[in-house]
Amino acid sequence: MDLVYKTRVFSQGGRNGRVQSEDGLLKVDLAQPAEMGGKKPGANPEQLFAAAYAACFENSVRHIIRADRLPVKGCMVEAEVSLYKNFEDAYRFSLSFATILHGIDQVTADSLVERALKVCPYTDATKNNITVKAVAVLEAPATA
């Protein structure tokens, strides 16, 4: 494989700390979610993971749209991540995507989402590690 990109991110303080990229473009103060006992506002690692995966997955969808010259007029991905604790006290993820599309039929949209799952590097990296559910949702055209 040919290296395409590499980056480095530093974390200090864990869930209630801070993350920062080596180039300084990403700087985020972290806070544990209130549901997990957090006491201060801030982003959490699950939100960062959902955001990164959604952006990468949407790019995979858009890559296929361009390659196939599909007449898609709009595309957006909504990601929902859930964190579970299993019987061994280990944490596990599940992730749901809704890919909102406009300009194509449902069969084409469903195929597009399935194909995007196969080319997205996040899906490949997490294969057999988390549960991923992805659906295509057709956006109705705006009415005047």
Side-chain angles (χ1 to χ4, degrees):
M1 289 192 293
D2 295 325
L3 178 65
V4 177
Y5 176 73
K6 180 168 68 172
T7 189
R8 184 173 292 154
V9 176
F10 307 97
S11 172
Q12 186 173 17
R15 289 185 159 278
N16 289 302
R18 180 178 179 84
V19 293
Q20 179 174 328
S21 61
E22 183 176 49
D23 61 11
L25 295 175
L26 175 71
K27 296 177 183 177
V28 180
D29 290 324
L30 300 175
Q32 203 164 359
E35 297 86 346
M36 296 174 68
K39 307 256 187 272
K40 66 177 187 169
N44 62 64
E46 290 72 32
Q47 290 170 321
L48 296 176
F49 179 77
Y53 201 150
C56 188
F57 184 72
E58 181 183 354
N59 197 68
S60 295
V61 170
R62 290 178 179 276
H63 170 75
I64 295 169
I65 289 168
R66 283 189 303 275
D68 289 3
R69 299 177 187 210
L70 295 173
V72 174
K73 305 276 188 259
C75 175
M76 182 182 84
V77 171
E78 176 185 312
E80 179 179 284
V81 69
S82 299
L83 185 63
Y84 298 93
K85 188 188 272 190
N86 70 13
F87 64 94
E88 296 172 328
D89 266 357
Y91 290 97
R92 298 291 182 256
F93 277 126
S94 74
L95 188 71
S96 297
F97 287 123
T99 303
I100 299 131
L101 299 158
H102 175 66
I104 56 176
D105 62 82
Q106 188 68 54
V107 172
T108 303
D110 291 341
S111 173
L112 174 59
V113 167
E114 285 303 312
R115 289 172 60 204
L117 281 170
K118 293 176 182 167
V119 299
C120 177
Y122 274 68
T123 302
D124 190 52
T126 60
K127 195 180 298 178
N128 300 320
N129 293 316
I130 67 172
T131 302
V132 176
K133 177 183 172 191
V135 297
V137 178
L138 298 184
E139 181 181 72
T143 57

